[in-house]
Amino acid sequence: MNPAKEQHPAAGLACGRRNVWDLLSAEEKNQTMAFAEEYKQFLDAGKTEREVITLSENLLKKAGFRNLTECSSLKPGDKVYAIIRRKALVAAVLGRIPLVEGLHLVGAHIDSPRLDLKPRPLYEEEDLVFLKTHYYGGIKKYQWLSVPLALHGLVVKNDGSSIPVIIGENPGDPVFTVNDLLPHLAKDQMEKKMMDAVPGETLNILAGSIPLGDVELKERFKLAVLDLLYRNYGLVEEDLISAELELVPAWPARDIGLDRSFVGGYGQDDRVCAYTALRACLEISAPERTAVLVLADKEEIGSTGNTGMTAAFLTNALAEIGFRCSPDFTELHLRRTLANSRALSADVNVALDPNYGDVVEKRNTARVGGGLVITKYTGTRGKSGTNDAHAEMVAWIRQIFNRSGIIWQTGELGKVDQGGGGTVAHFLAAHGMDVLDCGVGLLGMHSPFEVASKADIYMAYRGYGAFLASH
Ligand code: MN
Ligand code: MN
């Protein structure tokens, strides 16, 4: 046996990098793996923002949260939620100290890149039936070719009734696809820049090829599909105009790797943060400070619309909560509440992929398995468009995580001048609150099959919980 090597006293001064797997006990490893099983089920059942809202509402109800509209007054310890247009959600656990002293808020988004059907999607060409799409969010278009796609969403008919649609998720269901060009004839395509190789107007969905009637009948291939839509759903073509039909990857979330250390699946940006924050919120009881969860829509297209983070839904919900806590809750109280709050913008960040190591700066980028990622700033070029959290806020979160045994790391969104992006952090900060970006590092972000480490997923759940429960 060798005597233990003595460390230089200065060795402890450096900030090293940790790997969550090294630090988990056997029991914690089991918890990490078990948590991922529940997360995968959530990913499979929540492939659109509406589906995520339904799932979240069910979990909130089961945990004793009540719909805000059913509560006339609120007191500390009460648990409530508000749903906005079935696409965004605000949940709160009322704290002991008054709202005006500030909230602890975690905000994630539940929309993900996908292909949306156009209002007039259906057409036939050369005896084939297709559906026109318009992509939603930032995608690399080639990734959406030659993969099985499921159709999710709803159609609102002329009489106002709503027809839910999910085709392609059950083993016996048909699926859809966008055909790619065979390599034998792709000489011209291959010479194009990747950005131009797949024009947006070629993302047309293959939807049928059996004609109706005889050859004299005009558009008989398209009519055959319309006939099916009418017989199966009672729909006519005009109904598709008032519809939201989204094509998403038809496959389920899966374990990746011989050691099953990763979850692969669609929509992990940002449902990995939405789910872990939701789970953390479900477990908060009688906090000192009011804990708030926000699940927002439309982040991938700029947080616009009345369910996006730039809209009034959060302030409206908080005003309703404030009024129910005390009927003399004014606009000034609301402003103080917001300005005294602290928030985690719970969104994913890039994790180092050694195959693409040159787009990140290795000293500052996050690693899969390195723990929950805190990101002081995102943005592009000279930090343009970012929240850039204050040092005090970063220190405060760091302290909570260190105190609670959360394994965390720092991240940044690519090396300087490589590209960049943003989150909802700066929209939350606009209300006056202190905000820090904090989420899970992904591989293959925005692809139809994103990859996250189960260790990081579990740390996100624990970290959001520690923040929401802190004073
Ligand atoms: Mn995101
Ligand atoms: Mn995104």
Side-chain angles (χ1 to χ4, degrees), residues 260-329:
R260 298 178 177 270
S261 56
F262 303 104
V263 171
Y266 164 69
Q268 298 200 68
D269 175 4
D270 184 30
R271 290 165 196 150
V272 66
C273 297
Y275 180 69
T276 49
L278 171 68
R279 282 289 304 269
C281 179
L282 295 177
E283 286 163 24
I284 302 292
S285 68
E288 281 293 293
R289 197 174 288 270
T290 297
V292 175
L293 169 75
V294 184
L295 300 181
D297 178 31
K298 292 194 168 57
E299 192 276 344
E300 296 295 358
I301 56 167
S303 295
T304 48
N306 63 357
T307 49
M309 208 59 246
T310 55
F313 77 84
L314 172 61
T315 49
N316 286 351
L318 294 177
E320 295 285 354
I321 289 169
F323 175 74
R324 284 163 174 78
C325 289
S326 153
D328 54 12
F329 192 84

Side-chain angles (χ1 to χ4, degrees), residues 130-266:
F130 294 97
L131 298 163
K132 295 294 295 179
T133 66
H134 198 141
Y135 66 95
Y136 173 101
I139 62 168
K140 292 165 88 175
K141 281 166 262 179
Y142 73 85
Q143 293 179 335
W144 292 76
L145 308 180
S146 300
V147 296
L149 297 169
L151 188 66
H152 288 233
L154 86 172
V155 183
V156 184
K157 289 166 53 169
N158 195 46
D159 63 6
S161 61
S162 201
I163 310 293
V165 176
I166 299 184
I167 303 169
E169 294 294 346
N170 289 322
D173 279 0
V175 293
F176 303 89
T177 197
V178 181
N179 302 316
D180 199 357
L181 181 59
L182 63 170
H184 317 64
L185 303 179
K187 184 176 160 289
D188 294 347
Q189 185 195 44
M190 302 281 241
E191 279 165 7
K192 284 182 186 165
K193 280 193 201 154
M194 205 186 249
M195 213 178 136
D196 307 321
V198 182
E201 289 294 354
T202 64
L203 294 176
N204 300 319
I205 306 294
L206 189 61
S209 66
I210 302 177
L212 199 69
D214 58 36
V215 286
E216 301 301 311
L217 186 64
K218 262 186 77 183
E219 296 203 300
R220 63 199 190 107
F221 290 86
K222 172 183 163 177
L223 283 178
V225 170
L226 277 176
D227 183 56
L228 279 171
L229 286 176
Y230 185 73
R231 282 191 283 121
N232 293 341
Y233 297 96
L235 298 177
V236 296
E237 190 175 16
E238 194 182 286
D239 291 327
L240 298 177
I241 292 169
S242 50
E244 285 173 0
L245 294 166
E246 307 174 5
L247 286 137
V248 295
W251 50 65
R254 300 287 296 268
D255 286 346
I256 296 184
L258 292 171
D259 58 5
R260 298 178 177 270
S261 56
F262 303 104
V263 171
Y266 164 69

